[in-house]
Amino acid sequence: MKLDFTSVWQYWPFLYHGALLTLKITAICAVLGFLLGIVLALVKISKYKPLIWFGRFYTSIFRGTPLLVQLCIVHFGLPQLLGFTLTTTQSGILTFTLNSAAYVSEIVRGGIMGVDKGQYEASMSLGIGYGDMMKDIIIPQAVKHILPSLVNEAIALLKESSILSYIGAVELLRAADQITVLTFRFFEPYLVIAVIYYVFVMILSAVASRLERWVN
């Protein structure tokens, strides 16, 4: 069968706007998920059992249920309970941020626990408070070791953004779906977005490699 990519490129604005939305959601959720994940990690290593139980329960919920189910609960279920409607972008950002935070919290917790105990002892001997110790000494060292895992989480977010097409968000996959409806061709649009995803992942990996060398 003859391939015809001209039928895809004439609808390039669909792919352009879909790619922008994909990158926007990935960037926002990666940052928010990282920040919330740090908070959850600190909760899990705290001395207060109720906080530890909450952190473990939160993580078990988001790691134990499918991401698509979580997205449906947020986008379709929350409006029923709260009485207001979320846009597809808002639902995606909220769901992916909460889900990513659960995974990031475990990554960060492992990194913090991997920091030599002598760092804690030295900080306390110098009279450094717990908050400053974590912010200036422990977490920076932990991030250095867990950076590859954080990059993998960001890559996972980038690819998982495709499930937003289920609720109607016009990201890359939805853009390809629209092109297939207009052109009645399937292989070319899906191949094009596969290449776009691959390029995005390669760029992200290259940036992460440079960042890792700089941190080291």
Side-chain angles (χ1 to χ4, degrees):
M1 181 180 294
K2 183 179 179 181
L3 298 179
D4 181 16
F5 287 95
T6 58
S7 60
V8 177
W9 293 124
Q10 64 179 327
Y11 296 107
W12 69 265
F14 290 175
L15 298 174
Y16 173 74
H17 292 293
L20 284 183
L21 181 60
T22 296
L23 293 175
K24 174 184 175 182
I25 290 178
T26 300
I28 293 175
C29 294
V31 173
L32 295 180
F34 175 69
L35 296 177
L36 182 56
I38 290 178
V39 174
L40 282 172
L42 295 177
V43 164
K44 292 177 185 177
I45 63 174
S46 69
K47 298 179 180 180
Y48 303 100
K49 287 189 177 181
L51 290 179
I52 296 174
W53 293 336
F54 168 79
R56 291 177 178 175
F57 177 72
Y58 177 98
T59 302
S60 67
I61 290 296
F62 283 94
R63 293 176 66 184
T65 57
L67 180 56
L68 183 56
V69 174
Q70 298 166 17
L71 180 62
C72 290
I73 291 174
V74 169
H75 188 67
F76 300 115
L78 285 185
Q80 176 186 335
L81 295 178
L82 303 179
F84 62 86
T85 302
L86 297 172
T87 66
T88 54
T89 300
Q90 291 171 341
S91 297
I93 291 174
L94 178 59
T95 304
F96 290 164
T97 296
L98 295 177
N99 179 273
S100 178
Y103 289 91
V104 170
S105 68
E106 284 297 289
I107 295 172
V108 173
R109 185 181 68 86
I112 291 175
M113 300 300 290
V115 175
D116 188 84
K117 291 183 178 180
Q119 300 291 318
Y120 294 89
E121 296 171 354
S123 300
M124 289 186 290
S125 68
L126 293 173
I128 300 175
Y130 181 80
D132 290 334
M133 175 181 67
M134 283 293 177
K135 178 173 64 72
D136 298 327
I137 299 173
I138 304 301
I139 291 180
Q141 293 185 63
V143 170
K144 175 182 176 180
H145 299 294
I146 64 176
L147 188 58
S149 298
L150 292 176
V151 173
N152 287 336
E153 176 61 22
I155 291 174
L157 275 175
L158 175 66
K159 294 187 291 185
E160 288 170 351
S161 65
S162 61
I163 71 171
L164 288 176
S165 62
Y166 184 83
I167 61 174
V170 187
E171 41 65 66
L172 272 174
L173 180 57
R174 188 71 171 184
D177 290 338
Q178 291 177 336
I179 294 175
T180 62
V181 171
L182 295 170
T183 62
F184 298 101
R185 304 188 72 87
F186 298 89
F187 184 82
E188 295 93 332
Y190 292 131
L191 178 61
V192 168
I193 67 166
V195 171
I196 293 174
Y197 276 119
Y198 179 78
V199 171
F200 284 165
V201 170
M202 291 300 101
I203 293 174
L204 183 59
S205 299
V207 171
S209 297
R210 291 180 63 89
L211 180 62
E212 188 173 354
R213 288 196 297 270
W214 177 76
V215 170
N216 288 332

